[in-house]
Amino acid sequence: MSDSAPESTLLPQPGKQNILITSALPYANNVPHLGNIIGSVLSADVFARFCRARGLPTLYVCGTDEYGTATETQALAEGVDPATLCAKYNAIHRDIYAWFKIDFDIFGRTPTPQHTEIVQDMFTRLWENGFIEERETEQAYCPTHSSFLADRFVEGECSLCHAAGARGDQCDACGNLLDPLEPVEDTKAEPGEEKKATGWLLNPRCKLDGTTPERRKTKHLYLRLDALQPEIKSWLDNASNSKDWSANAVAITQSWINDGLKPRSITRDLKWGVPVPTNLPGLPGHDYDKKVFYVWFDACIGYPSITKCYTDTDDATGKNWEKWWKNPDNVSLYQFMGKDNVPFHSIIFPGSQLGTRESWTQVTKLSTTEYLNYEGGKFSKSKSVGVFGNSAKDTGIAVDVWRYYLLSRRPETSDSEFSWREFVDANNNDLLKNLGNFCNRVVKFCHAKLNAVVPDYHSYEDVDGSLKQHKEDVNGLIQTYIANLQATKLRAGLTTILSISALGNKLLQDNKLSNQLLSEDPARCNAVVGLALNQLYLLANLLFPYMPGTADSILHQIGVQGSGNGRFSIPDAWKADTLSPNQAIGEPKLLFSAIPPEKADEWREAFGGEELRKQKAIEMEKAAAKKVAKEKEKEKKRLKKLALAGGGAPKESSAQLQNLSINDAAGSELPKGSSEKGAA
C-alpha cells in the first residue's frame, strides 16, 4: 500500500535510529468509522511519513485482526464462514486505507502459518517458564452439537432490563455486562481482572440451534500476570520510556498496576483461532484440543507475525523478522491506538514478552487517543449515524482535506467532536485562506510577471535585515515542528505548519508584493518571490506527513520534477536556497476550493441527521431522569436528617418520605432501550 514500492525488503540498519511503527489491528468484521481511522492508522501514517522524511529507516506494520468470537458471530449473521467474512472485510479495510493514503509497508492478516507459529512459540515458552496456569470453570454447554459455548453464542432475556435477544456477554438494550448463565457465586471482578457481569440471561438458548444450554465444568488456561507483575513494573519504571507516553496511556497502565494484576484467561471454546498446542509436557491435550487462544492474547502477536510475512515472505524458517522484533538495542517501537487498547499493549503483550525470557523489542512510545464523537452523539453503523471510511469519498471532498480535518481534531488529551460546520470552516479558512492563498499568490505572480522562472534572489542586499529575520522566525518554527512530531503531538505539528504558512503571507503583505514593487524595486521583488518560492518548497516537505497530495501539488507548481516519496526531506534548518535562479516553475493551480456553507447542513442530514436527533433525545431523557433521581435522594437525606434532629420522625416528614419512596418506585422505569449506564 506504499505510495512508492521499495526496491528491497527494509531491515534495520546498523548505526542508525531504526523506527518500527504499528497501529492497532482493526477487527475484520466491520467498517471503520472516522474515529477508528484517526485513533490509529492515520496517526501512525503521519509519524511514519515524518520519520522517513527525516531519513530514518522506518517500517510501518498493520493488518486485520481476524480471530475471535465477534468474527464468528458476524459470520453467522451474514451466513458465511469466518474465512470468507474476513477476506471480505480485509479487502474493505484495504480500499478505505488506500483512499486515505495510508502508507503501510505491509497491511497483512492474522490467519497465517506465520502467526500460528509465533503465537504457539510464545505460549510454549510461557508454559515452560511457569507463567501459565490451568483453572476449572463452569460454562454453558450445548448438548445438541456437543460443544462449549462462548458467551456471545448464548442468547436470552436480560435479567436486569428484561430485553429479549440479549447476548451472554452484554445487553445492548441497557448496556450492562451479563453472564450467559445465572451465577452460583459472587462474580464481582477482582482488580486487574476482566470485568465481571452484573446480570445474566433468563431462558438462555444456544444461538446456533436454540437448545437450552447446560452448566458443565471445563478447563481454561490463564496467563499469570500476578507472577509477572514485578517484572512488568520494573520494566515500566526503568526500561521503558513510559513517562513520555500519552497521558491516558500512563494513567490506564498505572491503574492496572495499582490494583494488582491477576491471572487472565487466554483460551476460548471456538473453532476460529490459533489452536492451543497439545503436545507440551504437563499439558493434558484432551482438555484443550477443541480450544483456541483468546483474541486479546494473540492479536498483539500479529505485529511480529505480519512483519515476518513482510521480511521472510513464505520462508517458514526465516528469521529476518527478528531483526525488527528481537533487537531492542537498535530498534525503537512506536505504537498508535485508541485508549481502549492500552492495557493489551502496556501490560499484557509486554508481560508476555518478558515471560518468554527472550530479548524482545518492547514499546518505546505509546501514542493513544481519546474518543472522536459525532455531532454531539456517537458513531453508529447500524443506525447510519456518522461518516464511515467507505463513505467519506462520497462527499466529493479531496482526501487531503479529510486528513487535515481529522488530524486537526485528533483527540490527544480529551474527547473531540466531528462537526460538519467546523469541517467546512477548516477548509475555507485554515486551508484556502492561509496555505492556499500563499501558494496561489506566489506561483501566479511568478508565472505572470517573472516569465515563469525562479528569479535571481541572491543578488539583493537585505539592508534592513527583514528577510534575514523572516528566515530566523521560520527556522524557530521548524524546531518546534520537529519537537512536536518527535513527541507525536500531531495536532501541534499541524498548527505549526499553518503558522509557517501565515509567516509567508505576512512576508508578501509586509513587502506589498505587486506590480508596483516589481517596477519600483525589482531586486527586492525578486528576493521576496525567491524567498517565498523556497518557503513553499519547505512547506511541501513539512506538509508531506499530513497532506501528501497537497505536498506533491506544491512541488509540481514550483517546478520540482519527479514523483514518489523519496523527494521529500525534512531539514534541521532552512537555508532558503534549494531552488535555483532561472529554474522553470509549473502552472499555478488552486490547492483548495471553497465549500458552500450550506453543505454542512446537507451532509449532516445525509449522514444520520434524524437518527442523531433521536440519539440526543434519549440522552437528554436519561440525563433528566438522573437529575430527578439525584434531587429526590438529596431530599430524602434532608428529611431523614430533619427527623433525627427532632428526636423522632414528625408526621409531615414521614409522609413526605413515604411519598418520595412511592414516586421513586413509580418513576424508576427508564425510557425503553436506555439505562443510566448508557446504551452501547
Side-chain angles (χ1 to χ4, degrees), residues 121-133 223-224 227-228 231 280-281 351-360:
D121 180 70
M122 286 192 74
F123 169 77
T124 298
R125 293 176 186 275
L126 288 165
W127 171 261
E128 291 172 346
N129 294 333
F131 294 117
I132 302 293
E133 69 179 26
L223 176 63
R224 293 192 58 204
L228 287 163
E231 294 177 58
L280 301 182
S352 299
Q353 291 176 310
L354 292 168
T356 66
R357 298 295 184 247
E358 293 183 295
S359 182
W360 283 88

Side-chain angles (χ1 to χ4, degrees), residues 320-338:
N320 279 330
W321 68 275
E322 294 185 354
K323 295 177 182 178
W324 283 107
W325 282 99
K326 294 184 180 180
N327 191 1
D329 293 333
N330 296 297
V331 175
S332 298
L333 172 60
Y334 290 77
Q335 299 193 287
F336 291 78
M337 70 207 69

Side-chain angles (χ1 to χ4, degrees), residues 533-589:
L533 287 170
N534 275 285
Q535 188 167 339
L536 282 173
Y537 177 80
L538 170 69
L539 279 167
N541 286 280
L542 301 182
L543 268 174
F544 165 67
Y546 293 92
M547 304 171 71
T550 303
D552 188 69
S553 178
I554 292 174
L555 289 189
H556 279 104
Q557 290 189 52
I558 61 177
V560 177
Q561 304 300 315
S563 61
N565 295 343
R567 296 175 298 158
F568 296 98
S569 176
I570 295 173
D572 288 318
W574 179 53
K575 297 180 180 179
D577 61 358
T578 304
L579 303 181
S580 303
N582 296 315
Q583 174 182 320
I585 67 167
E587 293 282 339
K589 295 180 180 178

